[in-house]
Amino acid sequence: MLVKTGVEMNTDTLFRKGNNTRIVLIFLVGMIVFVIAAVLANLIQTDFGRIDVSNVYYLNFNGKKIRAKLFRPKEADSNNPAPGVVFIHGYQNNRESGDAYNIEIAKRGFVVLGIDAIGRGNSDVPFDLDHPNFDKSFGAHSSMEFLRSLPFVNKDSTGIMGHSMGAKFAYQVALADPAIRSVIIIGSAYDEKATAQLPNNMLMIIGELDEFRDFFTKTDDLVSEWMVTPATVNAFGTDKARFNTQYGDFTQGTARKVFMPRITHIQESHCSACIAEAVLWLKQSLNPPADSWIEASDQTWPVKEAMTLLAMLGCFFSMMPLVLLLLKTGFFSSLKRTRSFHFAATRQQYLKGATVNGILMWLYLPLIMTLFAVHKFVIRVDPVFPMLLVDAIVWWFVWINIIGLILFRRWYRKNRKWLGLSLYDFGISHEEGRFELDGVKIVKTLILGLMLFAFMYICEILSEKWLMVDFRFIYPLVSDLTPYRVLMFLLYFPFMLFGFLVLTVFVHGQIRRQLKEGWLGTYLFWTRSNIAALITPLILFLLIQYIPLLSTGFIPFEGPGGVFVVFMLELFFIMLTLTIVMFLSTWFYQLTGTIYLSALMNALVVTWLFASSQVVAPIP
């Protein structure tokens, strides 16, 4: 489809003089949303000032530093110690992942220590697997000892719990320590080492549709087999135990129960029924102050989760008026583009391009397994690139964009003449008629991008420092960067930049749709089209996994040890990430007409997501 040459781009009204006040007001609205959401998230997690929430740091037995989030009811002190609980998150998570449980437990009179396991969040990275000081519990043992050392914790009334990998560690610690009076295993399972006496007062919570259920329980059919396995018979002292039924006695430490709602693995960490079950179990096993107890169903954590997401969105989308204000300054004004584009994809061209892109995105599991085969049988990847799950995603992202670049070049050469295409029209060149980059504009683009990124980072740092609120929603998203994670940022950034340079050409050039009436209509149409092209293939891929799982319990993509499940779950994170960056990327492209600011900002944001929140540890 050809658009009339030389028509003014419909963003020219945005750059007219006299509307700066309106743009500033929009920016302030975004910042007000950010501040209010962060404050509300803080109020929820502190139970409106009744709980003190703080960072604590301590050393693991092998010298590695552990960071944790400490929830202390203000009435707990050395004269009035409260029962204490350690919460350990799952493999690919950090301490914020346990906030749904931690908030509700702390509200009911418990001191709660939600840790960044070794290799996650702001805790140190682990030793190599073959190192004599490698800690298989990733800090769980030392965290339990630290909790007991606190003067406001009742050392005779402590418990430990976790989700997924964290549940495995919690179980192992409790099994070896009879002083722990309660253990809650979420999304994992006990084994035949459990007896009717140890660990004390054990609750297991596992979703009927948990994608890792076969791996953790070593059964083929969780529902029909688990309660009669030797592990359950040993732990319960009977072969007639049933799900959702309590056995044993809390005062004797023999209480046992397996709670099984019909949910998946990722739901277990944010499930109101599971949380209610957990707080009731802790009440009966650890005896919190009676006057601190509230009904188990009275839960406020969903508000906190929503507010951390809203705080992030308020900050991110404040960049939209901010970049417009900066582009209206004399220094950055040369980066704006007001001339229209000559090419816009027809509906047929858009669908064809989106389909080809979808096929490439479906190479997700084959490419990831290729990398792991190289890692296992040819050469280890982690000595150079230590974030193995990030390696897999980046490997996939780079390869599909290498293939995409080859396909784009073929398409461009084939259609250049009859469609009247040019690299300038695609935002690749700064000059019409030939490929040429303007060095001054590239430098200014780099400065502008770094300024915008610094704005985002400072907002997050202030939110975390003053309010103990990260930018996240269910899954960890972004937080502050330790010196080690700054190095990870620098290591992975070039690969992300390459991938987004190619992807930006695709979404903002090859499948770019026609202009709509007015800049807002164009922005919304382009953004919707771009998100659909990138997200639809991933949604379809997930449907192949979750329609059978939710309807029959069958897991199509499981893999050895549940490895396919790990990467299928990562797709939820990838979809959320791509959706957020496309809202920003489309705006930057619409204002500048080139791929460079969009690609730079996409790479900065996504690399930040990876470097700050992804695991640095061996795959179990």
Side-chain angles (χ1 to χ4, degrees), residues 427-431 434-442 596:
I428 300 172
S429 174
H430 286 119
E431 297 291 335
R434 67 183 187 278
F435 174 70
E436 184 174 328
L437 295 179
D438 186 319
V440 174
K441 289 183 178 181
I442 291 294
Y596 300 108

Side-chain angles (χ1 to χ4, degrees), residues 501-522:
L501 282 169
V502 178
L503 183 64
T504 305
V505 172
F506 170 68
V507 295
H508 300 314
Q510 189 175 358
I511 63 168
R512 179 181 62 222
R513 305 304 305 278
Q514 68 272 21
L515 299 177
K516 291 293 186 179
E517 186 69 28
W519 64 267
L520 181 58
T522 299

